[in-house]
Structures are given as structure tokens and as C-alpha cells.
Amino acid sequence: MDGHDSEDPKQSTADMTAFVQNLLQQMQSRFQTMSDSIVTKIDDMGNRINELEQSINDLRAEIGVEGSPSPAAPAKPTDEEESNKEEGSA
């Protein structure tokens, strides 16, 4: 009636199995491509962060502030450390 009744059920099952396997292989391939792309971008970001860190250290060395805290650092970082220790011991 719908055109599928004349087909062998075993053939229909085999066709569906092949279709699903092909679909899963395509999905796996796309997932692997995306995964590789993400890993590459993370590696690139890590390299850029390392370069930025080195540039900052070079600039600090140029202006002679190796021994002083950076402007973004809190004035008394030891107070925060001490409060964290007190919370941990309580």
C-alpha cells in the first residue's frame, strides 16, 4: 500500500543499519574535527598567554619594578592570606 510492503523486511533492516552506521561515522568524523580544532585553539591561546606573560615580565624588568608589587596587586596580600588561614583553621 505504501510501497514498503513489497520490500523484504531483512533488506529494509540492512538498509536502515547501513544508514545508521554511515550517520554515526559522519557524526564521529565531525566530532573529531571539532575536537581537534578546539585543542588547537586552546594550545594557541596558551602560547599567546605565555608570550603576554613574557612581555609583561620584560616591561617590568625595563622599568625596574621587579621587586615591587604590580599596580593591580592588592596593597597587603598578606592580610588576605591570613584571613584564609583563619577560616581554614576554624
Side-chain angles (χ1 to χ4, degrees), residues 39-54:
V39 168
T40 299
K41 288 179 182 183
I42 289 173
D43 288 343
D44 290 345
M45 221 184 325
N47 290 335
R48 291 173 66 187
I49 289 170
N50 289 340
E51 290 171 6
L52 181 60
E53 216 171 16
Q54 186 60 48

Side-chain angles (χ1 to χ4, degrees), residues 25-44:
Q25 286 174 348
Q26 288 177 5
M27 289 173 64
Q28 175 64 31
S29 175
R30 289 179 184 169
F31 179 82
Q32 188 62 49
T33 301
M34 288 174 52
S35 179
D36 292 344
S37 175
I38 290 169
V39 168
T40 299
K41 288 179 182 183
I42 289 173
D43 288 343
D44 290 345

Side-chain angles (χ1 to χ4, degrees), residues 1 4 6-7 9-10 16 18 24-25 28 38-42 47 53 62 67-70 72 80 83 86 88:
M1 290 179 225
H4 294 288
S6 61
E7 289 184 24
K10 290 181 183 178
M16 184 60 74
L24 289 172
Q25 286 174 348
Q28 175 64 31
I38 290 169
V39 168
T40 299
K41 288 179 182 183
I42 289 173
N47 290 335
E53 216 171 16
E62 281 182 33
S68 64
S70 68
E80 182 179 332
S83 66
E86 290 173 7

